[in-house]
Amino acid sequence: MSRLPQPENNPLPDLIDPPVDSKVDSRDDVKGGDISPVSDIPVTAPVLENEPIVTRKELWAYYCATVYYNGDNGVGPNGYSMTLFQSLATSAGWDPVRGPGSSCTDANASGQCVLPWGGGTKSVSSVVLVANGVSFAVMTAIFTTIGSAADYGVFGRWLLFVVTVICWGAQFASMSLTSPSRWGAAMALYMIGFISYGATLVFYAALFPRLARNTPHARALRQQYEAGEISAEEYEIEESMEKNRISNISTMHSNIGYIFTLALNLSLLLPLANNPLVDNYTLVLTNGYWVITGIWWFIFQQPRPGPSLPKGENYLTIGWKQIWLALKQYRKLPYTFIYLFAFFLLADGLNTTGTLVSICQNDKFSFSFLQNTYLGLAQAVTSTASTLGFWYIQRYWKISTKKMFVVTNVVTVLIPLWGMIGIWTDRFGFHNVWEFWAYNVVFGLFQAPYYAFSQTMMAELTPPGFDNMFFGLFGLSNRASSMVGPNVIQAIIDKTGDNWKGFPFLFALCLSASLVIWFGVDVTKGRRAAVRWAEEARMARRVGEEEPDVKKAI
């Protein structure tokens, strides 16, 4: 590991332009054709005393087909709950062309449907988008307020458990949604389930960097590098491959759970097709599967507590203070923050695109859980195959994470572009049954790897030991980013009465964000700056504890 410079009065000295005299074998600094001395930029994260080596049981407890990631696949809170909510809302609404008392679903319906809202009316599609927008806003508050606090002590472990139990409770409570008049309760339960589900993804993903750097293979690579047996470049490539291995396999197992859950649900959806409560039963079955598979992670994970909460701080304020500190350090972590900003826009565009396509899909298939299950199976099977295929290609040719991510970004941009076609013609652009089948297949082929590679990129750009802090910001960029998209799209739909008019905005959003990531993020430099930042921050914290007059960095 590279030598650390001595701390100065500044608690976080410059992390991008440190002193010269390095043992890192790199040639990044080239100016005017001359190779200048390389800065002392460490490439390995320090091994903390409280981070035991990952056991085989623990690693499989992270992504195996019998535990948490397999059950936390989103079928219930991210799919069925929204379909049930939209179905009840549509049944409770009326056709604005024919007036109150009319049905939105009979043969004479105009295709529009509104509900009473704030002294007036609002289309059902807009109400769904409002629910999503509010949910993302609440997620934002959660990730910014207590997300960083999860880096301290065992708070993160209990935080994940609590939000998981809340999500389970919201899903089981769906048994109470038995009539259109309860569409408001359906909206509330959908939001609670969606918010807590999004939180489980973020806080569970935050475990990933710490696991990845403590596998036996990762530890062996570190020892080889520190002994001078491999170069810095070789170490970084192999460590990145290890991160991608865990990320891709965990994503694959999430999709295996997706397949298994949907197939299991057919055991209810087919024989009970005419039962009015079959959708509710299916939600309970889906959630029961997650409970049975998810509880084992909390049993088998090894304790990896963070440092104690600083004296005088509390869990409700430390998050905002850390985020403010991190934002002030953006010049020292430029590529990390460029990625976070661009991914905020990209995730906003992709998440809102998915919601809008789901709204169109639910309308097309009359809110059928059975049809959505068949479509979900098509997506799940292709997702599993593509995750394995992308990982094989990456491992065989040693392709960088960013290049693999760029490939998936192209399809992210093309999905809303295809939806735009539906503005001008009914022949294409999410108007036909075959298009929704094609969408689910293409989404599975390219967007499952998208999630794996986006997570790995964030892990590579995250300062080691500050995983929950930066994955909280990543969660803000990913799950909680969609505050802009849903609100803009619902305003467009309310004004035009046309769901398809929202796709041009989403296309522009996805394209602009992708271009920033493609041309503005250097993962290698960003990774080294993140490691250096983490080491300096920990040193500053130790100095601050020993010398009270020194301002604490964290």
Side-chain angles (χ1 to χ4, degrees):
M1 190 180 304
S2 300
R3 175 182 57 80
L4 290 176
Q6 295 301 312
E8 302 173 0
N9 290 333
N10 181 0
L12 282 178
D14 194 294
L15 307 182
I16 299 301
D17 297 312
V20 176
D21 183 22
S22 169
K23 67 184 204 177
V24 175
D25 182 14
S26 176
R27 292 294 181 268
D28 289 334
D29 300 329
V30 180
K31 298 180 181 179
D34 297 326
I35 300 178
S36 61
V38 183
S39 297
D40 184 15
I41 303 177
V43 298
T44 63
V47 177
L48 303 182
E49 294 179 359
N50 58 355
E51 292 190 1
I53 294 179
V54 177
T55 64
R56 186 175 183 83
K57 179 188 292 186
E58 182 184 22
L59 186 59
W60 279 93
Y62 182 74
Y63 52 55
C64 161
T66 58
V67 290
Y68 193 97
Y69 227 136
N70 188 275
D72 191 18
N73 51 59
V75 172
N78 201 31
Y80 286 157
S81 289
M82 182 179 134
T83 300
L84 182 60
F85 160 41
Q86 189 180 347
S87 175
L88 293 176
T90 300
S91 298
W94 67 83
D95 186 340
V97 176
R98 295 185 295 162
S102 60
S103 173
C104 296
T105 58
D106 62 28
N108 298 318
S110 67
Q112 300 181 52
C113 191
V114 297
L115 286 163
W117 188 271
T121 62
K122 186 177 285 290
S123 72
V124 170
S125 296
S126 294
V127 170
V128 174
L129 287 164
V130 166
N132 274 31
V134 173
S135 296
F136 288 127
V138 175
M139 286 187 223
T140 300
I142 292 174
F143 299 150
T144 52
T145 302
I146 61 177
S148 298
D151 285 318
Y152 293 96
V154 296
F155 185 70
R157 181 172 186 161
W158 287 106
L159 182 60
L160 176 61
F161 180 73
V162 169
V163 294
T164 299
V165 171
I166 290 173
C167 192
W168 290 346
Q171 298 296 287
F172 283 134
S174 64
M175 279 304 302
S176 65
L177 307 176
T178 56
S179 67
S181 63
R182 296 183 179 177
W183 71 268
M187 180 177 180
L189 287 175
Y190 165 66
M191 292 171 63
I192 292 171
F194 189 47
I195 291 167
S196 52
Y197 165 68
T200 66
L201 292 184
V202 170
F203 296 129
Y204 198 65
L207 301 170
F208 160 63
R210 190 167 291 186
L211 284 176
R213 65 174 174 261
N214 285 291
T215 64
H217 182 58
R219 289 285 188 91
L221 285 172
R222 186 197 312 273
Q223 291 173 359
Q224 288 179 307
Y225 168 69
E226 292 177 350
E229 297 174 8
I230 58 176
S231 67
E233 287 79 5
E234 185 179 356
Y235 170 79
E236 289 178 313
I237 291 173
E238 291 300 326
E239 189 196 41
S240 178
M241 288 296 110
E242 179 71 352
K243 287 190 178 83
N244 277 285
R245 180 181 72 87
I246 295 175
S247 183
N248 278 281
I249 292 177
S250 63
T251 301
M252 179 196 69
H253 280 290
S254 178
N255 285 304
I256 290 175
Y258 195 21
I259 295 172
F260 188 83
T261 304
L262 292 169
L264 182 65
N265 290 341
L266 292 177
S267 66
L268 287 179
L269 291 169
L270 291 175
L272 300 179
N274 296 321
N275 189 310
L277 293 180
V278 64
D279 293 349
N280 307 72
Y281 296 150
T282 303
L283 257 172
V284 170
L285 178 62
T286 300
N287 193 55
Y289 174 77
W290 182 9
V291 173
I292 292 171
T293 58
I295 197 66
W296 300 105
W297 166 251
F298 300 104
I299 296 173
F300 289 125
Q301 65 170 318
Q302 293 189 87
R304 290 186 178 85
S308 300
L309 195 69
K311 201 173 205 181
E313 300 292 351
N314 65 72
Y315 287 109
L316 293 179
T317 59
I318 188 67
W320 286 100
K321 290 181 179 179
Q322 284 200 339
I323 290 172
W324 175 241
L325 172 67
L327 291 175
K328 290 196 297 183
Q329 301 295 319
Y330 75 94
R331 290 185 179 178
K332 299 166 185 174
L333 296 169
Y335 300 111
T336 301
F337 281 98
I338 290 173
Y339 178 66
L340 284 169
F341 171 74
F343 194 75
F344 179 95
L345 299 179
L346 182 64
D348 193 352
L350 178 62
N351 291 339
T352 309
T353 297
T355 301
L356 188 55
V357 173
S358 294
I359 289 171
C360 298
Q361 179 176 296
N362 286 332
D363 283 336
K364 188 67 178 179
F365 291 98
S366 301
F367 315 103
S368 169
F369 268 40
L370 182 59
Q371 289 297 326
N372 282 342
T373 299
Y374 289 143
L375 291 166
L377 278 168
Q379 182 182 132
V381 171
T382 52
S383 293
T384 304
S386 68
T387 303
L388 285 173
F390 270 76
W391 165 233
Y392 176 81
I393 291 170
Q394 182 186 29
R395 182 180 60 179
Y396 187 83
W397 279 285
K398 301 289 185 182
I399 303 173
S400 71
T401 304
K402 180 181 174 180
K403 289 179 181 177
M404 301 299 289
F405 188 45
V406 166
V407 173
T408 67
N409 285 170
V410 173
V411 177
T412 304
V413 174
L414 292 179
I415 291 173
L417 178 62
W418 184 265
M420 284 175 56
I421 301 174
I423 298 174
W424 302 287
T425 178
D426 290 339
R427 297 179 61 188
F428 305 104
F430 298 121
H431 287 290
N432 307 290
V433 170
W434 69 265
E435 289 180 284
F436 292 104
W437 280 99
Y439 163 76
N440 280 278
V441 170
V442 171
F443 193 94
L445 288 173
F446 291 94
Q447 296 312 114
Y450 159 94
Y451 289 112
F453 293 127
S454 66
Q455 175 178 277
T456 305
M457 276 193 65
M458 188 65 237
E460 296 203 27
L461 296 170
T462 292
F466 298 84
D467 308 305
N468 280 286
M469 175 181 176
F470 280 87
F471 266 81
L473 292 174
F474 183 59
L476 181 65
S477 295
N478 187 9
R479 304 305 307 174
S481 65
S482 296
M483 296 179 290
V484 179
N487 288 307
V488 172
I489 300 306
Q490 67 91 14
I492 292 172
I493 292 174
D494 267 350
K495 184 176 181 179
T496 64
D498 186 347
N499 290 344
W500 282 261
K501 291 292 179 66
F503 283 114
F505 173 78
L506 296 173
F507 169 69
L509 198 61
C510 291
L511 179 62
S512 58
S514 294
L515 291 173
V516 172
I517 292 174
W518 298 349
F519 301 106
V521 178
D522 187 316
V523 177
T524 299
K525 292 181 179 179
R527 182 195 306 117
R528 294 181 178 184
V531 172
R532 178 63 178 267
W533 189 92
E535 293 194 357
E536 294 288 355
R538 275 188 288 271
M539 177 174 287
R541 179 159 50 200
R542 289 195 297 270
V543 171
E545 290 171 352
E546 296 170 2
E547 303 175 30
D549 291 337
V550 177
K551 182 182 177 182
K552 294 181 181 179
I554 299 297

